[in-house]
Structures are given as structure tokens and as C-alpha cells.
Amino acid sequence: MKKFLTKLPEQAGRLLIVFIVFIALVLLVRFLLPASLKDHNIHIQNTVATEMSRQVRYAGSEVCASCHDEYNLKKNGYHKNLSCETCHGTLKEHSENPTEIKPLVPRQRDFCTRCHAFDPSRPTGFPQINPSAHNPMKACVSCHNPHDPKPPNVPQECQACHAEIARTKAISSHVMLECTICHEVPTQHKVAPRNVKASIPAEREFCGKCHSTQSIIKETSKVDLATHGEKYLCWQCHYPHMPEVE
Ligand code: HEC
Ligand code: HEC
Ligand code: HEC
Ligand code: HEC
Ligand code: HEC
Ligand code: HEC
Ligand code: HEC
Ligand code: HEC
């Protein structure tokens, strides 16, 4: 053995020692590791046990319904998609022991402004305010019910929220058409527009009611539905709120 080693070039001998030390370390580490890190099945079992032993902290909104009317109030309003515990904190314990454990009640303005302060990255149409200009110094909840924050005046005109479309239509040849000739708009759309949608015409025949050569309406220009842009929906070529082609 000694002879064999001395025969090898000096570097190879050192390399061999490094290699042996490395293997020894790997074996040692493997020997010291707990079984749960070596065996996949034990590992999964342990993880499941750890997760199961964690305390459940959220109760879920349905649970609140059995004791609080706020559940029914919130159900159809603007805050429909917010969970109770978004605002009141984790409440599993309160649900089981309501007199001992008190929920958070976020009455301060800067709580609401986390979601409602103006921020250009928020989607257009999301209700935003400028906190320093919007009734400063007063609690938001003195004017808005947090469980049903309908705006104090529900807008009646489509124009209040769709100003640009209304202005466009007003100077187009469709000026005489009411929005509701083409859109079915449930009353609730004006209160919760994202939850209750207005309809949009589905097919070419809808425009054809007034514009097809078969239409009985006199004062409109006519096209033959079978040959005029036949492969496409009318509004792929004509913007319905400004339909004339330049
Ligand atoms: C088993 C019935 C029960 C359940 C379930 C329950 N609560 Fe309550 N809650 C009560 C009672 C009773 C009080 C009044 C406690 C008091 O004033 O001593 C209360 C008080 C509150 C208050 C007012 C605290 C204050 O300081 O004025 C809030 C907010 C509240 N609950 C939210 C919730 C939410 C959110 C849920 C669902 C996650 C929920 N509760 C589930 C019974 C319940
Ligand atoms: C947007 C945040 C928000 C959400 C979501 C919310 N709350 Fe509240 N809640 C508040 C605020 C703020 C108050 C305090 C209102 C006040 O002082 O006028 C309050 C008050 C309460 C109170 C006490 C009422 C009183 O007069 O003392 C109860 C009970 C309550 N909420 C239950 C609920 C339940 C149940 C849900 C879910 C169905 C819920 N809340 C969802 C913000 C919220
Ligand atoms: C976690 C985010 C969040 C918090 C916190 C929150 N809101 Fe809202 N709020 C929303 C969402 C989402 C809507 C629905 C927006 C929509 O329909 O487009 C909404 C809608 C509203 C509206 C209706 C505005 C309109 O005319 O379109 C008002 C008013 C309002 N919230 C007031 C409040 C007040 C007051 C508080 C504090 C008690 C509060 N919000 C806290 C997310 C939040
Ligand atoms: C003095 C009463 C009052 C207070 C306080 C108040 N608001 Fe309002 N808020 C109104 C009125 C009235 C409107 C509807 C007219 C308007 O847009 O100004 C409104 C509208 C809103 C809207 C809808 C804006 C939109 O463009 O759709 C939001 C969101 C809102 N408020 C959130 C808040 C928040 C958040 C606070 C607290 C930081 C707050 N409000 C405090 C009276 C109030
Ligand atoms: C309170 C404000 C408000 C009023 C009033 C309102 N809308 Fe809307 N409307 C919205 C918002 C916000 C959206 C966008 C919803 C979304 O993107 O999910 C919308 C979407 C629409 C859409 C598109 C629906 C879709 O599926 O893409 C149509 C069509 C529409 N509104 C028609 C009308 C008509 C017609 C009126 C009047 C009778 C009207 N709206 C009144 C706020 C309003
Ligand atoms: C001649 C029928 C017609 C009239 C009148 C009309 N719309 Fe539309 N509207 C449509 C059609 C068709 C679409 C679908 C367009 C598309 O998908 O490209 C549409 C789409 C919309 C949308 C979705 C966003 C967009 O720009 O595509 C909104 C919001 C809307 N209309 C609101 C209104 C409002 C508000 C009025 C009244 C001021 C109105 N519409 C009048 C036919 C009409
Ligand atoms: C209730 C009847 C009615 C409906 C439905 C209707 N329109 Fe019209 N449209 C009119 C009237 C009235 C005019 C103005 C008279 C004219 O120029 O034909 C007009 C004008 C037009 C024009 C301009 C014609 C020109 O000569 O410049 C086009 C294009 C048009 N509409 C397309 C559409 C499309 C696309 C739809 C379906 C989204 C539609 N219309 C639905 C009544 C209607
Ligand atoms: C592929 C694009 C396209 C489609 C789809 C289309 N149009 Fe047109 N439309 C045009 C063009 C371009 C013109 C102007 C040139 C012309 O008169 O053919 C026009 C003109 C019109 C005119 C005015 C005709 C006149 O005599 O002044 C009306 C009305 C019209 N279209 C209605 C419709 C209706 C209704 C539909 C759906 C059934 C529709 N269009 C689908 C491209 C289209």
C-alpha cells in the first residue's frame, strides 16, 4: 500500500485524501440527520402533524351570521367581497367565547384609506378618495356604514359613472338612442356595478332590428346583413357609441 502511494504522483495522493475526507463527512452528516429528514414518508407525516397542531385562528364569515345581523347587511352591498375578519381581525376565539374575547373595531380613518386612498396603480373605477380633501377630521363611519357603504347619493344617470361614453354618444348619430335600448341594466348595477352587471348585445341581429334591409324602421340607413361584414360582429367595425365610419 505504502509502495503504491509513493508510486503515485504527489498531487494524486493529496487528492485521494481530500476525497476520502469528503466521503467520510457525507456519511457522518447522513448518520447525524434525524430520520424525518431522510425518509420521505416520515417527513410528510411530521409536517402534517405540525400543521394540524397549529391553532385555527379564522372563523369564516358564515359563523358570524348566527349571532350578528351585520352578515345580512353586508351580503349584497359594496363590501360584499370583504370578509368580516379583514376588518375585525382573527376571530375564531371570539366566536367560541364572545363575552371574553373582544374583536378589533377599526373606527379610525387610516384603516379605510388603506384600500380607498387614491393610488394610481388601483384599477380605474375602484372608489378612491383623497383623504386630506374628503371630509377630513371626521370618522369615515360617521357617514358610511362599513357593512353597507352605499354612497350617500346613489347616482341615477349612467353618465355619473360612464361620462366618457355618454359624451361620445352625445355627438354621434346614435344620440337619440337611450343607453337602455341596447343595455339591460338591473337597478342594483348602480349600487354594486361589479357584482351586478349590465348586459351587452350578443348578436348582429340586434343591430339588424333597426339597420337590416328587412327592418320596418324608416329613418335608419340599411345594410344587407347577409353580405355586410358577415363574418364579424357589427361592433368589431362600428363603435356602438359612435357608429359612423369615417
Ligand atoms: C356565539 C355568538 C357569536 C359569534 C359566533 C360571533 N360573535 Fe361577535 N359578539 C357576540 C356577542 C355576545 C358580542 C357582545 C359582547 C359584549 O359586548 O360583551 C359580540 C361582539 C362583537 C363585536 C363588537 C365588539 C365591540 O367592542 O363592540 C364585533 C365587531 C363582533 N362581535 C364581530 C364578530 C365577527 C366578525 C364574528 C365572526 C367571525 C363574530 N363576531 C362571531 C357573539 C358572537
Ligand atoms: C370594511 C370593514 C368591515 C367589515 C368588512 C366588517 N365590519 Fe363590522 N365594523 C366595522 C367598523 C368600522 C365598525 C364600527 C362601526 C361604528 O362604530 O359605527 C364595525 C362594527 C361592528 C359591530 C359592532 C356594532 C355596534 O354597533 O357595536 C359588529 C357586531 C360587527 N361590526 C360585525 C361584523 C360582521 C359580522 C361582519 C361580517 C359580516 C363585519 N362586521 C364586517 C368594520 C367592518
Ligand atoms: C380591504 C379593502 C377595503 C377596506 C379596508 C375598506 N374597503 Fe370600502 N370598498 C372595498 C371594495 C372592494 C369596494 C367595492 C368596490 C367596487 O364595487 O368597485 C368598496 C366600496 C366602498 C364604498 C362604495 C363607494 C362607491 O360609491 O363606489 C364606500 C363608500 C366604502 N367602500 C367605504 C369604506 C369605509 C368607510 C371603510 C372603512 C370602515 C372601508 N370602505 C374599508 C374595499 C375596502
Ligand atoms: C361628512 C360625511 C363623510 C365622511 C366623514 C366621509 N365621507 Fe366618503 N362620501 C361622502 C359623500 C356625501 C360621498 C358621495 C359624494 C362624493 O363623492 O363626494 C362620499 C363618497 C365616498 C366614496 C366614493 C367615491 C367615488 O368616487 O366613488 C368613497 C370610497 C368614500 N366616500 C370613502 C370614505 C372614506 C374612506 C372616508 C374616511 C377616510 C370617508 N369617505 C369619509 C361623505 C363622507
Ligand atoms: C355607480 C356607477 C355606475 C352607474 C350609475 C352605471 N354604471 Fe355601468 N358600470 C359601472 C362600473 C364601475 C362598471 C365596470 C364593471 C367592471 O368592469 O366589472 C360598469 C360596467 C358597465 C357595462 C359593461 C358590462 C360588462 O360586462 O363589461 C355596461 C354595458 C354598463 N355598465 C352600462 C350602464 C348603463 C347603461 C347605465 C345607466 C342605465 C350604467 N351602466 C350605470 C358603474 C356604473
Ligand atoms: C346602439 C346600441 C348601444 C347604445 C345606444 C349604447 N351602447 Fe354601450 N355598448 C353597446 C355594445 C354593442 C357594446 C359592446 C362593445 C364591444 O364589446 O366592443 C357596448 C359596450 C358598453 C360598455 C362596455 C365598455 C365599452 O366601452 O365597450 C359600457 C360601459 C357601455 N356600453 C355603456 C353605455 C352607456 C352608458 C350608454 C349610454 C350613454 C350606452 N352604452 C349606449 C351598444 C350600445
Ligand atoms: C333602435 C334602433 C337602432 C339600433 C338598435 C341600432 N341603431 Fe344604429 N342608428 C340608428 C339611428 C336612428 C341612426 C341615425 C340614422 C342613420 O344615420 O341611420 C343610426 C346610425 C347608425 C350608423 C351610422 C349610419 C350612417 O349613415 O353613417 C351606424 C354605422 C350604425 N347606426 C350602426 C349600428 C350598430 C353597429 C348597431 C348595433 C350595435 C346599431 N346601429 C343599433 C338606430 C339604431
Ligand atoms: C368588417 C367590418 C364591418 C362590419 C362587421 C359591419 N360593418 Fe357596417 N360598415 C362598414 C364600413 C367600412 C362601412 C362604410 C362603407 C360602406 O358603406 O359599406 C359601413 C357602413 C354601415 C352603415 C351605413 C350604410 C350607409 O348606407 O350609409 C350601416 C348602417 C352599417 N354599416 C351597419 C352595420 C351593422 C348593423 C352591422 C352588423 C350587422 C355592420 N354594419 C357590420 C364595416 C362593417
Side-chain angles (χ1 to χ4, degrees):
M1 182 67 180
K2 206 172 181 184
K3 207 170 175 193
F4 168 73
L5 276 179
T6 47
K7 251 197 202 160
L8 280 175
E10 198 184 344
Q11 307 91 311
R14 286 201 213 108
L15 208 57
L16 193 67
I17 292 167
V18 169
F19 188 62
I20 290 168
V21 169
F22 177 73
I23 297 280
L25 275 176
V26 169
L27 290 175
L28 182 70
V29 167
R30 205 173 149 68
F31 174 72
L32 291 176
L33 276 181
S36 66
L37 287 184
K38 282 184 283 194
D39 185 320
H40 191 59
N41 289 330
I42 302 180
H43 180 66
I44 289 176
Q45 266 171 27
N46 282 359
T47 314
V48 170
T50 320
E51 292 302 326
M52 300 267 287
S53 69
R54 276 184 211 266
Q55 216 188 341
V56 176
R57 293 165 64 223
Y58 287 95
S61 292
E62 277 74 29
V63 175
C64 322
S66 57
C67 301
H68 295 295
D69 289 342
E70 280 80 1
Y71 181 83
N72 292 319
L73 192 59
K74 187 172 80 65
K75 205 166 52 184
N76 297 313
Y78 280 94
H79 276 165
K80 174 182 165 174
N81 294 331
L82 264 55
S83 146
C84 310
E85 288 162 290
T86 308
C87 298
H88 289 296
T90 55
L91 291 181
K92 173 93 169 131
E93 286 185 53
H94 166 75
S95 311
E96 284 156 6
N97 190 355
T99 41
E100 293 284 311
I101 313 278
K102 295 279 178 247
L104 293 170
V105 183
R107 291 190 177 89
Q108 63 285 16
R109 283 173 67 92
D110 60 1
F111 178 78
C112 310
T113 54
R114 281 185 209 170
C115 294
H116 289 293
F118 178 75
D119 177 340
S121 70
R122 295 203 159 120
T124 38
F126 185 82
Q128 300 171 58
I129 51 140
N130 174 355
S132 46
H134 187 79
N135 307 299
M137 318 296 285
K138 294 203 191 98
C140 312
V141 291
S142 64
C143 299
H144 300 287
N145 183 335
H147 308 117
D148 186 17
K150 46 172 152 337
N153 312 306
V154 176
Q156 288 307 309
E157 302 293 318
C158 315
Q159 189 170 0
C161 306
H162 299 293
E164 200 174 327
I165 290 176
R167 281 198 300 269
T168 308
K169 187 175 78 64
I171 52 164
S172 82
S173 54
H174 275 169
V175 59
M176 296 304 286
L177 306 190
E178 296 281 342
C179 309
T180 46
I181 287 183
C182 301
H183 299 291
E184 273 170 51
V185 185
T187 330
Q188 277 296 106
H189 175 70
K190 296 174 184 172
V191 179
R194 274 165 228 279
N195 298 331
V196 181
K197 301 265 178 184
S199 76
I200 282 179
E203 42 194 31
R204 298 164 52 82
E205 285 66 33
F206 178 83
C207 310
K209 279 193 299 191
C210 298
H211 288 294
S212 93
T213 38
Q214 279 91 32
S215 167
I216 50 161
I217 291 174
K218 288 213 178 72
E219 47 282 327
T220 52
S221 31
K222 305 290 193 290
V223 293
D224 182 359
L225 249 53
T227 57
H228 182 82
E230 70 284 4
K231 290 206 202 86
Y232 304 95
L233 292 166
C234 314
W235 46 92
Q236 284 176 287
C237 298
H238 301 280
Y239 184 53
H241 312 126
M242 173 68 94
E244 42 277 77
V245 181
E246 296 287 293

